[in-house]
Amino acid sequence: MNLISRESVTPNDGGCQDLIADRLSQAGFKVEHMPAHSVSNLWCRRGSQKPLLTFAGHTDVVPVGNLDRWNTPPFEPTIANGWLYGRGAADMKSSVAAMVVATERFVSRHPNHRGSIAFLITSDEEGPAIHGTRHVMSELLRRNELLDWCIIGEPSSLSIIGDTIRIGRRGSLNGELIIEGSIGHVAYPEKTPNVVHRALPLLSELANRVWDEGNEAFPPTTFQISNVNSGTGAHNVIPGEISVSFNFRFNTEQTPDDLKEVVEQELNLLGNEFNYRIEWQQSGLPFLSKRGEFMHTVFNVVQAESSTSPVPSTSGGTSDGRFIAPHGVETVELGPVNATIHKYNECVNLEELETLTLIYERILERLLI
């Protein structure tokens, strides 16, 4: 609850990492702060031997939106009918807290455990994700401090704790498109081709296109338009340009260059009356974690400690796993139910949160004693 009470809208940490560091230092962890620009990063490690099991997560949250839409203040954690309410309750301060508590319990009973335990916490996951986990991983790789296993506490579950475990993610590619025409009088459309009328069929073609059928590990690639803007505000003026923001969530059947090529081929059919410019921003490539002892253990523990048989998945948005798994780290995302993430009245079920804590603790026991 102390974490939720800290206002930590990305990239602000709000002092959350100091709370975590204090708890972990008392459990024998070496604490290392790794700030980068305006981002707070925390690396805590207990032990120096292999294997290294890392808990990863973030303390930043998304903006709260209209305060009038919250039943209780978003940064005043509130318990009602077995649920904990507040911004970050599900994404993902509760799972960070569960990781810390599970580790404290484990270390108190097994102070001489084998291997090492670490925490990689950032305040940049909900933001650009440039100076957070990516920065820390770069520093760890530079000094040859290599992770073996990683649990990311992202809210992976769909209905009950552990029903879904993410073992990879699709890639994300953003496009910012501007198509330019000319303004004119709506009464004389024959004199001024309308850029909106020309752009809409093109956008419809991209939106309805079947990019691929996916594969055994990944769902199909999707194209989604997120913003469209055009017009002067006047009813009698043909607009001079249209701007469009869109996103691809793509699997391993595609590459960013493949997707860019198709979009630009369509744009080149606009005709001489129109010009376009487009800026691309790649948020991450698709990744799929390797599978070994760690992943086998995680799935077995979840099945034993919860009332579900977990399903491996690569769906959903991006996560910081894209900066960890590609380095050969066995990586899973295992956290709370995601039904209320980024929404008003975000919440987590306290009974399920205790189950999650127990799952984290059992994973430590299976692997490090």
Side-chain angles (χ1 to χ4, degrees):
M1 292 178 68
N2 285 337
L3 292 178
I4 294 176
S5 68
R6 303 298 179 101
E7 294 192 28
S8 58
V9 176
T10 190
N12 182 28
D13 169 65
C16 293
Q17 292 177 24
D18 288 337
L19 292 175
I20 297 166
D22 181 62
R23 294 280 290 257
L24 292 176
S25 65
Q26 294 180 51
F29 282 75
K30 177 185 176 182
V31 173
E32 189 175 356
H33 293 277
M34 294 184 177
H37 298 268
S38 60
V39 174
S40 298
N41 298 305
L42 181 67
W43 172 251
C44 301
R45 179 166 178 169
R46 188 180 199 276
S48 59
Q49 303 300 313
K50 291 286 203 174
L52 171 56
L53 191 159
T54 301
F55 289 108
H58 60 90
T59 51
D60 59 319
V61 298
V62 296
V64 299
N66 184 351
L67 289 173
D68 292 337
R69 299 286 300 275
W70 286 82
N71 295 334
T72 58
F75 294 110
E76 291 183 15
T78 304
I79 294 176
N81 301 316
W83 293 81
L84 172 61
Y85 291 85
R87 176 57 88 220
D91 190 11
M92 56 166 283
K93 292 182 176 181
S94 289
S95 49
V96 170
M99 291 169 170
V100 172
V101 171
T103 301
E104 290 173 330
R105 292 175 181 174
F106 172 77
V107 167
S108 68
R109 290 201 302 275
H110 308 285
N112 299 315
H113 61 82
R114 80 184 187 101
S116 304
I117 309 170
F119 280 74
L120 195 172
I121 308 296
T122 183
S123 69
D124 188 37
E125 197 276 342
E126 299 290 6
I130 296 173
H131 303 297
T133 299
R134 176 187 290 179
H135 167 76
V136 177
M137 285 298 298
S138 178
E139 175 62 20
L140 294 176
L141 291 167
R142 184 191 64 79
R143 63 195 198 192
N144 203 34
E145 193 168 358
L146 306 179
L147 284 59
D148 296 296
W149 307 320
C150 184
I151 301 175
I152 303 175
E154 287 291 347
S156 60
S157 304
L158 299 182
S159 300
I160 58 175
I161 288 290
D163 60 2
T164 303
I165 298 177
R166 305 210 187 277
I167 59 171
R169 292 277 189 162
R170 293 173 296 175
S172 178
L173 177 66
N174 298 307
E176 295 290 340
L177 169 66
I178 295 178
I179 304 175
E180 298 175 331
S182 179
I183 61 173
H185 198 298
V186 296
Y188 304 98
E190 70 279 2
K191 296 182 178 180
T192 309
N194 191 312
V195 67
V196 174
H197 293 181
R198 188 67 186 89
L200 290 180
L202 181 151
L203 296 173
S204 179
E205 165 64 25
L206 295 173
N208 292 310
R209 184 186 182 94
V210 177
W211 298 88
D212 54 61
E213 300 294 338
N215 54 37
E216 183 180 36
F218 288 92
T221 295
T222 61
F223 170 91
Q224 289 291 309
I225 296 170
S226 53
N227 290 282
V228 178
N229 291 284
S230 187
T232 65
H235 290 106
N236 59 351
V237 178
I238 292 173
E241 70 175 37
I242 181 172
S243 63
V244 184
S245 302
F246 60 86
N247 173 266
F248 283 101
R249 292 300 162 103
F250 63 99
N251 55 43
T252 49
E253 300 295 313
Q254 305 286 343
T255 69
D257 287 343
D258 292 336
L259 299 172
K260 293 176 186 179
E261 181 179 0
V262 172
V263 171
E264 291 173 5
Q265 284 175 350
E266 291 291 333
L267 289 169
N268 289 333
L269 300 176
L270 281 168
N272 295 331
E273 303 96 338
F274 305 101
N275 297 311
Y276 75 86
R277 59 184 186 274
I278 188 167
E279 293 183 3
W280 297 98
Q281 189 261 326
Q282 182 180 302
S283 301
L285 293 171
F287 68 90
L288 187 67
S289 175
K290 69 177 185 180
R291 307 189 189 193
E293 173 193 6
F294 171 68
M295 194 172 294
H296 179 73
T297 298
V298 170
F299 275 79
N300 282 346
V301 168
V302 171
Q303 185 153 4
E305 301 298 337
S306 68
S307 56
T308 185
S309 294
V311 175
S313 172
T314 58
S315 62
T318 57
S319 80
D320 278 0
R322 67 191 188 273
F323 307 126
I324 299 172
H327 296 291
V329 183
E330 273 195 78
T331 304
V332 298
E333 295 177 29
L334 172 59
V337 172
N338 58 26
T340 63
I341 61 173
H342 294 203
K343 295 183 178 182
Y344 295 117
N345 304 310
E346 182 179 349
C347 59
V348 65
N349 182 279
L350 289 174
E351 184 176 339
E352 290 200 337
L353 184 57
E354 179 56 39
T355 299
L356 181 63
T357 306
L358 181 62
I359 288 171
Y360 291 153
E361 187 179 356
R362 293 289 183 264
I363 291 170
L364 287 166
E365 291 173 347
R366 292 277 192 96
L367 293 169
L368 297 184
I369 58 175

